[in-house]
Amino acid sequence: MPITELLVGGLLLGGLYALMACGLNLIFGVMRVINFAHGELMAIGALSTVSLVAGYAFPFWAAVILVPILTAGVGLLMHRLVLQRLAHAPMIMTLLATYALSTILVNAAILTWGGGYRGLPGVLGGSVNLLGVNVSVSRLVAFAVALGVSLAVWWVLEKTRFGRAVRSVSQAPELAEISGISIEQVRNATFALGAAMAGLAGVLMAPTFASDPQLGVRFLIKAFAVIIVGGMGSYPGAIAAALLLGIIEVMGGYLTGAVIGSALLFLLMLAVLLVRPRGLLGVGART
């Protein structure tokens, strides 16, 4: 397999990791909440897409719009009913709460869709030639949409009034409140946006990966590796680390096998934790 094909494959995979990790990192950056239920929102997004497209004959692009709205609503309920009540509690309390929510969502998905695998093999079929490499349309579309949305959200955070409010709440919540910014509204919107990004990641994975209620667990672990390498709370760090780790996983899998290829991600994560615990572009702990 030529180096170009490995690089392209790694970048395509990294785009999906970026969308997943950026939503997770956005929530942490604003609220300092590590959301263990983030992967389940992605799995619900993937399974809902299969149901809409294969079960109810919706066009795939309708799922791209509808499913993130669904997962944003689920995320908003999670925040309003549970996490908002733990806003001033120690971080271990929110960790336990999101772990409990994760378990609830997994079991709800099993009750709804069963425990088997579902997929959309006929959606976005075919391939195109890119840099001399045949790339499946489903992977190319997933990468383009995932990276495009990740960069668009970054632009919103950097250039808009909402983004300034989000950064204010993240960096100095007390000063933001004095300035008239509604902290709870910003946190609600941020959590819903992060949940929508997880749902969109699930939509984009549905045509390429077999989906089941445990799908989120497998990808969440890699999303954690991405944000630890890029830096907890750093949005650009998450994008850069996702693309890097996608390339490392694909190249490592080709050279050493799939199991060791995946293990390389976590070896790199451990190395970063030992050398630079804040990650490459991390914001560090807030005091």
Side-chain angles (χ1 to χ4, degrees):
M1 183 179 292
I3 187 69
T4 304
E5 188 171 348
L6 293 172
L7 285 173
V8 170
L11 287 173
L12 296 180
L13 181 61
L16 284 175
Y17 287 168
L19 184 61
M20 180 74 174
C22 284
L24 186 64
N25 224 7
L26 177 63
I27 292 171
F28 175 81
V30 174
M31 293 179 287
R32 295 305 189 263
V33 170
I34 299 175
N35 183 17
F36 277 109
H38 198 73
E40 278 59 53
L41 292 171
M42 188 205 76
I44 288 173
L47 291 167
S48 298
T49 301
V50 174
S51 293
L52 287 174
V53 176
Y56 297 99
F58 275 67
F60 178 75
W61 296 110
V64 171
I65 297 172
L66 295 176
V67 172
I69 295 174
L70 168 67
T71 55
V74 174
L76 185 59
L77 284 176
M78 289 166 50
H79 182 255
R80 293 292 297 273
L81 297 178
V82 180
L83 297 174
Q84 185 172 307
R85 302 171 187 270
L86 300 174
H88 303 291
M91 183 177 287
I92 186 63
M93 298 297 291
T94 59
L95 283 172
L96 293 173
T98 58
Y99 181 78
L101 289 167
S102 168
T103 303
I104 292 169
L105 291 176
V106 166
N107 284 278
I110 292 173
L111 288 173
T112 304
W113 288 284
Y117 289 93
R118 296 166 178 263
L120 293 173
V123 175
L124 301 179
S127 63
V128 296
N129 188 278
L130 182 66
L131 301 177
V133 178
N134 286 325
V135 180
S136 69
V137 172
S138 61
R139 287 182 178 270
L140 187 59
V141 169
F143 170 80
V145 175
L147 191 61
V149 169
S150 298
L151 293 174
V153 173
W154 186 16
W155 180 87
V156 168
L157 294 174
E158 291 293 325
K159 302 296 184 181
T160 67
R161 183 177 179 182
F162 171 72
R164 290 192 292 271
V166 168
R167 295 200 306 275
S168 297
V169 172
S170 172
Q171 297 166 6
E174 296 82 6
L175 292 178
E177 189 171 22
I178 293 172
S179 302
I181 297 173
S182 174
I183 293 178
E184 286 309 319
Q185 287 185 6
V186 170
R187 287 176 173 171
N188 284 333
T190 300
F191 204 95
L193 178 58
M197 294 172 74
L200 179 59
V203 174
L204 299 175
M205 288 178 183
T208 304
F209 297 90
S211 304
D212 71 303
Q214 302 292 332
L215 175 69
V217 176
R218 298 190 291 272
F219 276 89
L220 182 65
I221 295 173
K222 294 179 180 180
F224 276 126
V226 167
I227 62 177
I228 288 172
V229 172
M232 294 289 285
S234 171
Y235 200 97
I239 295 177
L243 297 176
L244 173 63
L245 293 184
I247 292 173
I248 290 174
E249 181 177 356
V250 170
M251 286 193 166
Y254 175 72
L255 296 174
T256 62
V259 174
I260 296 179
S262 295
L264 290 176
L265 304 183
F266 303 104
L267 289 174
L268 178 60
M269 180 186 73
L270 289 174
V272 170
L273 285 173
L274 291 173
V275 176
R276 185 176 171 82
R278 291 174 56 180
L280 300 178
L281 298 171
V283 299
R286 184 174 64 201
T287 59

